[in-house]
Amino acid sequence: MKKYGLVGYPLSHSFSKKYFTEKFEKESISNAAYELYPLEHIGELPALLQQEKDLCGLNVTVPHKVSVLPHLDWMSEYAKEIGAVNCIRISSMSPVAAALSGEVGIQGKEYVLEGFNTDAYGFEMSLKPLLKARHNRALILGDGGGARAVKYILGTLNIAFTSVTRKPAEHRITFEQLTPAQVGSHMLIINTTPLGTSPDVDECPNIPYEAITEDHLLFDMIYNPEETLFLKKGKEQGANIKNGYEMLILQAEKSWEIWNSKEKHP
């Protein structure tokens, strides 16, 4: 039995297990299972890998997309540039082969952890069909691991962006500093924060929603609920809206492709 799973904390509202379990049933994949592994601290990962020796691949979610990096033996160029990983391929390797490969950063193991970022792929494929010429400036709400993938893709699409965060930092503005004029001049607004995720559906990022127009596009990386308060407020102003469900499906399928390939994906 090949095992796959999701690490993060908490994992009470996971899309991944339901999606992959249904995928395995629908496609008659009988030798695979997908489980949830709630790790409060990423330092628990080596113990998990020793315990679950049939693991072939992991997805990584909040809060570990950045903190997992020191545990990896190899990262795709894509993931290195983004600085975050949400997909790990686990390859078994004998100690001799590990020593010869030159890729192993942690001694005494019989496996290699290869890190990839499929968030960026999912985000790009989900966003691109909605973009118009006016969507050439973006506001990114939040600055976690998901935001790193968003920044990378916006850079490749030549879309200038401003990050909005709770705490002051270099090259960022705070939610308190965000003005209606800034919202009005950035036609693409992307929420990468968890605000509004079920069950806390009455929460949303604190921005001047009154400045949103029918020319705006609001993208929320949250998928549950289907329409967050952030998206609802945007829709009420006439904006085009998109949730994170399609992005999740795309990144999940890309993860499956990576887990079942020996290639060094970009």
Side-chain angles (χ1 to χ4, degrees):
M1 178 69 71
K2 293 182 178 180
K3 278 192 177 179
Y4 305 89
L6 175 70
V7 296
Y9 193 86
L11 297 178
S12 54
H13 296 280
S14 167
F15 154 91
S16 300
K17 180 170 182 176
K18 181 176 184 292
Y19 180 80
F20 278 106
T21 300
E22 290 178 354
K23 173 184 175 68
F24 296 157
E25 290 175 0
K26 186 168 59 178
E27 298 180 17
S28 300
I29 302 170
S30 58
N31 65 336
Y34 193 101
E35 302 295 341
L36 300 181
Y37 301 105
L39 301 185
E40 189 170 0
H41 305 289
I42 197 61
E44 301 167 46
L45 181 62
L48 171 68
L49 294 169
Q50 287 298 326
Q51 180 182 330
E52 300 286 349
K53 294 189 180 293
D54 293 329
L55 270 172
C56 300
L58 288 170
N59 288 124
V60 183
T61 189
V62 291
H64 301 321
K65 292 183 181 182
V66 177
S67 59
V68 75
L69 301 188
H71 293 271
L72 304 175
D73 304 311
W74 179 89
M75 287 171 62
S76 71
E77 290 303 317
Y78 209 38
K80 283 180 186 175
E81 289 188 44
I82 293 167
V85 158
N86 74 302
C87 173
I88 298 173
R89 182 169 61 194
I90 303 168
S91 305
S92 61
M93 182 178 281
S94 71
V96 173
L100 293 173
S101 73
E103 292 182 349
V104 177
I106 303 170
Q107 299 302 313
K109 300 187 313 176
E110 295 183 6
Y111 56 82
V112 173
L113 303 183
E114 300 172 312
F116 303 85
N117 192 300
T118 63
D119 278 340
Y121 168 81
F123 174 68
E124 181 179 17
M125 294 299 104
S126 185
L127 176 71
K128 277 176 76 172
L130 305 174
L131 292 176
K132 309 291 185 188
R134 63 179 178 270
H135 299 132
N136 57 355
R137 298 178 75 195
L139 293 173
I140 303 174
L141 310 182
D143 200 34
R148 295 189 181 207
V150 169
K151 289 178 185 177
Y152 178 82
I153 292 304
L154 293 185
T156 65
L157 297 174
N158 294 314
I159 297 175
F161 60 83
T162 299
S163 293
V164 187
T165 57
R166 286 185 297 112
K167 298 177 182 178
E170 193 175 3
H171 305 305
R172 295 163 180 77
I173 62 172
T174 65
F175 283 96
E176 289 74 19
Q177 294 169 328
L178 184 62
T179 66
Q182 288 170 313
V183 170
S185 63
H186 291 73
M187 293 297 156
L188 174 59
I189 306 177
I190 302 153
N191 178 39
T192 71
T193 78
L195 291 171
T197 304
S198 180
D200 301 316
V201 295
D202 294 328
E203 295 181 354
C204 66
N206 184 21
I207 66 172
Y209 290 94
E210 69 276 7
I212 292 172
T213 69
E214 61 184 14
D215 290 329
H216 277 80
L217 169 60
L218 271 61
F219 190 106
D220 200 329
M221 294 179 80
I222 295 170
Y223 66 93
N224 182 20
E226 185 176 333
E227 185 175 289
T228 58
L229 188 55
F230 167 72
L231 293 181
K232 183 180 179 182
K233 284 175 174 281
K235 188 167 77 171
E236 288 172 351
Q237 295 293 118
N240 192 13
I241 63 171
K242 177 83 172 183
N243 68 21
Y245 186 71
E246 183 187 36
M247 174 184 167
L248 268 175
I249 292 174
L250 289 166
Q251 69 84 13
E253 287 298 328
K254 179 61 73 172
S255 292
W256 181 247
E257 178 187 329
I258 289 169
W259 293 334
N260 288 279
S261 167
K262 299 292 185 184
E263 296 175 14
K264 300 291 189 184
H265 289 248

